[in-house]
């Protein structure tokens, strides 16, 4: 009887055996994007598939994940489980997610489909194809999960439209499009390595453990379902880095440059997650600072020790990112607080309990630099109509497109805004940090094309000159923004829970009893 | 350094050329040590606008609600324009004060360092 | 072997039980942590399981690739075939 093929051999026959050398077109004509970035790939046979998953197994496991997930979603809807979350304020974390992250999942689906076509190595093609389908599954399951919340809360109704237009959503959008408009190797270094390996836990752990601690089992279920795909994505990221560097010694500086750029850009996007993690979760399991310490400083320390033998170094300006970890969430939430009248989410002055937690988690910074602003804003909000809103529009960084809230933390001056600027073709361009300035200066022609939402509003391209026109252009409803207190979300919540008094702490306590 | 392409020169462009702003220019104005106003603000302003209109109308539209604002003595305010110290001529236009498209104007109010001196 | 830490994180579910148990059994130096909904297994340098032990704990013939159903995250270089799965730093 014939011997059963072992996993390696079986995988090789199913994958490598399907590639061929083209004869009636040149290889360069069939794969026109493989060499223009300057990378030297000589032998795709050296590609090591870390997970030898063939399509039959892939479909089987993915189908089972989906069946389990949709069963939970059905049960969630039937049981009105949206009322099990700890508070209506928590749902603002889901607004950040569906507006900021879900459209990136879809963009990743498109990006990996492109890679699967552009790479000539079969192993990489297959990994990219599977990832493309994974990412579409993530987009779909996120939409499905959060659609239950959309029936009961504001701001969740039109995330893809908002993602392409709204001022704070150009942060994730521009990062991903920076990668999508680069070549296939830069794209995969950015997304598979910098984002889905180096920084992945800093996206998922805050949202998923946040969901678990705030009674949101639907999001936890979705999160686990997606994370089971992420391990394959992570191993693809690690493999591509090793493959590129091992192919030719000339590749190392190119790869290092992409890592430096995309680590910084992805880190800047994660500022939105930091603000969510420290401020939008009623019950906070872990601070951004703690997560950064575990998942970047420790975890990536180990990763880069391993990669040191290839000559790869820790990404440039990582020390600034680490120094900023005591400030990031506060500065980004400050931006959201300033502008939540023009956002599809609500903010508020944190409760005393939350501020005591922040003092404990940020002993070097919160009481000295950030508690005072909440005291001031709290005083202002006591008077009708005097809750502080910034009635202008912020200066944005030309590269990361975040409002210029970052400060000279690296120089020991955390209350001095970090202003950087460059000149290109007789025009001024402003950036928020050495990290973003370096990125601008390396490819100024690219960033001179940036669609900065604030500037576009002033050019009249966003519905009109007044804020209400712009919010209409964004497809915001009037009840989407503003303060958590007195919001439509709070009112509906109180009605559902039978709470008469709209006092913030009372509604949380009542929700726990209910 | 230039952006790599498969098709020759990367296209030249400038989304925020001053011509796109209907006669206005972009000016960024930030109040140092008042970070409860989270960042400098961006404004589309006529280059011929008198500098005094900044202190009388533009800056108050954002900074007015801050408890320090009404205490500002504009005579003692320190201005920085595009990194260099500026003594503005209140009656002269922005343009004549050297404020061009995408200029960054910062001001510091000595003695007023934010809420309870915290820089907020 | 590296002193750098490797880890495996599984969902805390019945499907993951044989894998979690095998990691515990076959890596006595590993540190196991239970967090809401997940189980985190961490060790210095290397973590590995065999198909034999996982199947034994499951009471049936397990395909190691079934870990795809319940794996949440990992850290380390992956090495897999039908008999064994491991993560390690060099």
């Amino acid at each position: 009887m014939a011997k059963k093929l072992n996993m390696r051999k079986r995988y090789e026959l199913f994958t490598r055996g399907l590639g061929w050398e083209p004869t009636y077109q040149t290889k360069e004509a069939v794969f026109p994007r493989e060499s223009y970035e300057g990378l030297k790939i000589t032998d795709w046979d050296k590609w090591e598939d870390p997970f030898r998953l063939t399509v039959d197994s892939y479909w089987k496991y993915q189908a089972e994940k989906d069946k389990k997930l949709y069963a939970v979603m059905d049960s969630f809807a039937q049981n009105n489980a949206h009322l099990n979350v700890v508070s209506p304020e928590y749902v603002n974390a889901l607004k950040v997610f569906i507006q900021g992250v879900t459209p990136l999942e879809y963009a990743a689906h498109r990006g990996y489909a492109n890679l699967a076509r552009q790479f000539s190595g079969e192993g990489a093609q297959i990994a990219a194809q599977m990832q493309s389908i994974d990412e579409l599954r993530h987009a779909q399951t996120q939409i499905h999960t959060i659609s239950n919340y959309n029936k009961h809360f504001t701001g969740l109704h039109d995330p893809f439209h908002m993602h392409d237009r709204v001022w704070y959503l150009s942060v994730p959008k521009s990062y991903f499009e920076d990668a999508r408009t680069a070549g296939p190797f830069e794209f995969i270094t950015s997304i598979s390595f910098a984002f889905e390996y180096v920084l992945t836990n800093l996206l998922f752990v805050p949202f998923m453990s946040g969901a678990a601690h705030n009674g949101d089992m639907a999001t936890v279920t979705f999160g686990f379902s997606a994370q089971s795909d992420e391990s394959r994505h992570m191993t693809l990221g690690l493999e591509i880095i090793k493959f590129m560097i091992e192919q030719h010694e000339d590749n190392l500086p190119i790869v290092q440059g992409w890592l430096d750029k995309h680590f910084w850009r992805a880190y800047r996007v994660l500022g939105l997650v930091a603000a969510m993690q420290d401020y939008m979760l009623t019950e906070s399991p872990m601070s951004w600072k703690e997560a950064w310490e575990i998942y970047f400083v420790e975890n990536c320390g180990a990763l880069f020790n391993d990669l040191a033998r290839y000559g790869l170094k820790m990404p440039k300006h990582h020390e600034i990112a680490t120094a900023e970890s005591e400030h990031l969430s506060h500065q980004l939430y400050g931006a959201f607080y300033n502008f939540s009248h023009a956002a599809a989410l609500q903010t508020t002055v944190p409760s005393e309990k939350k501020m005591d937690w922040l003092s404990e988690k940020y002993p070097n910074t919160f009481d000295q630099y950030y508690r005072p602003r909440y005291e001031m804003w709290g005083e202002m909000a006591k008077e009708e109509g005097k809750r502080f809103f910034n009635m202008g529009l912020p200066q944005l960084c030309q590269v990361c497109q975040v409002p210029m809230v970052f400060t000279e933390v690296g120089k020991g001056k955390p209350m001095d805004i970090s202003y950087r600027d460059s000149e290109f073709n007789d025009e001024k361009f402003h950036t928020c940090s050495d990290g973003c300035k370096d990125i601008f200066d390396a490819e100024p022609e690219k960033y001179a094309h940036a669609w900065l939402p604030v500037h576009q509003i002033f050019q009249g391209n966003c519905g009109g000159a007044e804020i209400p026109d712009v919010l209409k252009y964004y497809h915001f409803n009037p009840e989407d923004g503003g303060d958590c207190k007195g919001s439509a979300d709070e009112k509906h919540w109180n009605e559902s829970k039978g709470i008469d008094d709209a006092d913030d702490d009372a509604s949380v306590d009542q929700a726990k009893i209910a | 350094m230039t952006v790599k392409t498969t098709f020759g020169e990367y296209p030249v462009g400038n989304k925020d050329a001053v011509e796109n702003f209907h006669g206005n220019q972009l000016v960024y104005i930030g109040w140092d040590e008042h970070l409860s106003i989270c960042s400098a603000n961006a404004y589309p302003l006529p280059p011929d606008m008198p500098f005094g209109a900044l202190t009388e109308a533009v800056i108050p539209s954002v900074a007015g609600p801050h408890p320090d604002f009404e205490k500002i003595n504009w005579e003692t305010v320190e201005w920085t324009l595009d990194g260099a110290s500026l003594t503005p001529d209140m009656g002269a236009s922005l343009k004549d004060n050297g404020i061009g498209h995408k200029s960054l104007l910062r001001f510091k109010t000595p003695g007023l360092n934010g809420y309870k001196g915290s820089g907020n | 072997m590296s002193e750098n830490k490797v880890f495996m994180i599984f969902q805390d579910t019945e499907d993951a039980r044989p894998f979690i148990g095998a990691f515990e059994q076959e890596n006595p130096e590993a540190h196991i942590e239970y967090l809401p909904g997940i189980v985190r297994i961490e060790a210095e340098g290397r973590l590995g399981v065999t198909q034999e032990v996982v199947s034994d704990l499951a009471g049936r013939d397990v395909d190691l690739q079934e870990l795809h159903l319940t794996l949440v995250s990992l850290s380390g270089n992956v090495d897999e075939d039908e008999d064994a799965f491991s993560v390690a730093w060099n």
Side-chain angles (χ1 to χ4, degrees), chain A residues 53 57-68 137 221 224-229 231-232, chain C residues 9-11 13 15-16 19 60 63-72:
Chain A
L53 204 58
S57 302
Y58 177 81
W59 289 127
K60 185 174 70 181
Y61 295 131
Q62 297 307 97
E64 197 167 327
K65 290 176 194 174
D66 261 11
K67 277 184 213 145
K68 287 183 155 151
R137 188 177 88 88
T221 307
F224 287 155
S225 186
Q227 277 299 93
S228 62
D229 300 331
S231 300
R232 280 186 286 107
Chain C
I9 303 180
F10 285 95
Q11 295 178 32
T13 60
D15 284 345
F19 288 97
R60 61 174 177 85
D63 182 342
L64 284 181
Q65 290 197 320
E66 289 175 43
L67 62 72
H68 282 293
L69 288 173
T70 54
L71 184 59
V72 172

Side-chain angles (χ1 to χ4, degrees), chain A residues 366-380:
Chain A
F366 183 74
D367 287 333
Q368 185 177 353
Y369 302 118
Y370 301 108
R371 187 187 278 268
R373 69 177 56 165
Y374 298 120
E375 277 175 15
M376 182 180 78
W377 287 338
E379 282 305 310
M380 292 165 81

Side-chain angles (χ1 to χ4, degrees), chain A residues 318-361:
Chain A
H318 73 93
E319 308 93 337
I320 298 289
T322 297
E324 284 184 349
S325 67
E326 299 200 89
H327 297 271
L328 185 67
S329 63
H330 316 293
Q331 291 172 351
L332 266 291
Y333 194 70
F336 277 125
Y337 189 90
N338 268 239
F339 293 106
S340 54
H341 60 295
L345 52 82
Q346 295 129 20
T347 58
T348 195
V349 170
S351 65
E352 278 306 314
K353 182 178 162 205
K354 171 66 82 177
M355 286 207 277
D356 289 343
W357 179 83
L358 288 164
S359 290
E360 187 201 317
K361 294 298 178 183

